């Protein structure tokens, strides 16, 4: 079954220096852009992370410091990457929890104004786990009857993810072939930011989901405790979380004028 698309969707996969979204860097990125007419466009870039790649990470994806020493930095690649994804929804495997948050951090560090409010995200892993509870290699074998022989290669993982989603639509008639539905089905929680520090209450208004102000409206706390906003911006929170907080604060200030 081919995807029923109203706009392009970019399936992507990252290989990185580690798993901490706020501090790690990308060493390889592969993007498969699928258009509503069925055409596809794919790109893979190795990236100089400007920091040593830990041996543990290299053992997983096979990319070493020497292999990326002469590759462009993410900041150099950012304009090309953003131009490719800016008009698209996003898809991946565990992308809502890792790949999209880390990509957002890298784009914001490169001074690219990345905002997921303009895109939907389909996490194929979440659909898989809700339906079968397995891994990408098992998903590829289960749905496509193929062996993922080059696992942890960004390009192989990206193409496998795309094939798995199409096979999931074939296997489960209850899944709607619609990116809005798939994005909602594959989401874990209703957060305003990727890391889950800011959630929505039952009225769809942003609230803090951590710390001493947990459950309180963000707008009320930022107005009542102005020092808290400064502390949040200077603390070790992800850049996207800080961007969301800044946007909420600016919207509140604009309504006063």
């Amino acid at each position: 079954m081919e995807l029923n698309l109203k706009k392009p969707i970019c399936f992507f996969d990252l290989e990185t220096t580690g798993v901490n979204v706020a501090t790690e860097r990308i060493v390889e990125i592969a993007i498969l852009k699928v258009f509503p007419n069925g055409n596809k466009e794919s790109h893979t870039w190795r990236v100089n992370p400007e920091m040593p790649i830990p041996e543990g990470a290299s053992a997983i994806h096979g990319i070493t410091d020497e292999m990326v020493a002469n590759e462009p930095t993410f900041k150099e690649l950012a304009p090309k990457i953003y131009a490719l994804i800016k008009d698209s929804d996003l898809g991946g495997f565990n992308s809502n929890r890792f790949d999209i948050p880390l990509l957002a951090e890298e784009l914001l560090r490169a001074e690219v104004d990345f905002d997921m409010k303009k895109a939907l995200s389909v996490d194929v892993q979440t659909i898989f786990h809700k339906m079968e509870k397995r891994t990408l290699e098992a998903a590829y074998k289960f749905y496509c009857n193929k062996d993922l022989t080059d696992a942890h290669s960004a390009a192989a993982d990206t193409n496998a993810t795309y094939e798995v989603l199409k096979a999931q639509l074939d296997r489960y008639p209850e899944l709607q072939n619609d990116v809005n539905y798939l994005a909602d089905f594959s989401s874990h929680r209703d957060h305003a930011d990727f890391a889950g520090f800011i959630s929505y209450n039952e009225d769809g208004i942003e609230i803090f989901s951590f710390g001493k102000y947990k459950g309180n409206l963000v707008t009320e706390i930022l107005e009542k405790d102005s020092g808290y906003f400064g502390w949040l911006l200077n603390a070790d929170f992800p850049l996207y979380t800080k961007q969301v907080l800044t946007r909420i604060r600016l919207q509140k200030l604009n309504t006063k004028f």
Side-chain angles (χ1 to χ4, degrees):
M1 182 182 293
E2 292 300 324
L3 297 182
N4 179 19
L5 302 175
K6 297 179 178 64
K7 62 187 288 190
I9 182 169
C10 285
F11 294 90
F12 77 103
D13 185 71
L14 307 178
E15 304 302 338
T16 66
T17 57
V19 297
N20 187 320
V21 168
T23 60
E24 304 298 353
R25 298 292 187 270
I26 295 170
V27 298
E28 187 176 63
I29 177 171
I31 300 175
L32 173 65
K33 186 170 186 176
V34 183
F35 295 87
N37 64 4
N39 289 345
K40 303 179 187 69
E41 177 183 349
S42 62
H43 300 270
T44 302
W45 294 278
R46 287 275 172 86
V47 185
N48 184 338
E50 301 182 275
M51 65 180 289
I53 303 174
E55 290 184 5
S58 294
I60 293 173
H61 50 57
I63 302 172
T64 63
D65 292 331
E66 294 75 16
M67 295 168 67
V68 295
N70 297 317
E71 298 292 346
T73 65
F74 188 86
K75 188 169 186 177
E76 292 171 327
L77 290 170
K80 293 180 182 178
I81 292 171
Y82 184 64
L84 190 63
I85 69 173
K86 67 180 181 180
D87 64 339
S88 305
D89 294 322
L90 297 177
F93 199 85
N94 194 33
S95 50
N96 285 352
R97 290 185 170 184
F98 183 72
D99 296 87
I100 291 176
L102 185 52
L103 178 63
E105 291 296 295
E106 288 276 39
L107 286 169
L108 291 171
R109 276 192 288 265
E111 300 178 348
V112 175
D113 187 18
F114 179 74
D115 188 352
M116 272 302 293
K117 280 188 171 295
K118 302 173 184 177
L120 298 171
S121 61
V122 178
D123 192 329
V124 175
Q125 185 195 58
T126 303
I127 296 173
F128 183 37
H129 284 178
K130 285 186 175 183
M131 294 297 189
E132 302 295 343
K133 314 289 186 189
R134 301 191 186 182
T135 63
L136 178 57
E137 288 90 341
Y140 199 48
K141 183 67 175 179
F142 182 83
Y143 290 110
C144 306
N145 197 27
K146 299 177 183 177
D147 293 319
L148 186 54
T149 56
D150 200 11
H152 299 297
S153 159
D157 288 357
T158 298
N159 282 285
T161 298
Y162 170 59
E163 289 188 42
V164 167
L165 178 57
K166 292 196 297 177
Q168 286 173 330
L169 290 169
D170 284 328
R171 180 175 288 267
Y172 306 116
E174 66 268 32
L175 289 179
Q176 298 177 26
N177 189 355
D178 177 83
V179 171
N180 287 276
Y181 169 85
L182 294 171
D184 181 67
F185 187 85
S186 62
S187 66
H188 285 281
R189 297 178 181 177
D190 199 10
H191 294 310
D193 66 333
F194 296 127
F197 292 110
I198 307 168
S199 300
Y200 294 104
N201 64 13
E202 58 186 14
D203 297 318
I205 302 173
E206 295 93 344
I207 59 174
F208 285 109
S209 55
F210 75 101
K212 62 180 181 179
Y213 292 125
K214 183 176 181 179
N216 287 268
L217 295 178
V218 173
T219 51
E220 290 184 358
I221 297 305
L222 296 185
E223 186 172 5
K224 181 176 69 174
D225 188 351
S226 58
Y228 194 60
F229 179 70
W231 174 77
L232 289 168
L233 292 188
N234 290 307
D236 189 23
F237 288 98
L239 293 176
Y240 195 82
T241 299
K242 295 177 182 179
Q243 183 188 60
V244 171
L245 285 168
T246 301
R247 173 179 53 78
I248 294 170
R249 186 169 184 268
L250 289 175
Q251 286 177 343
K252 180 66 174 179
L253 290 173
N254 289 337
T255 60
K256 293 183 176 181
F257 297 101

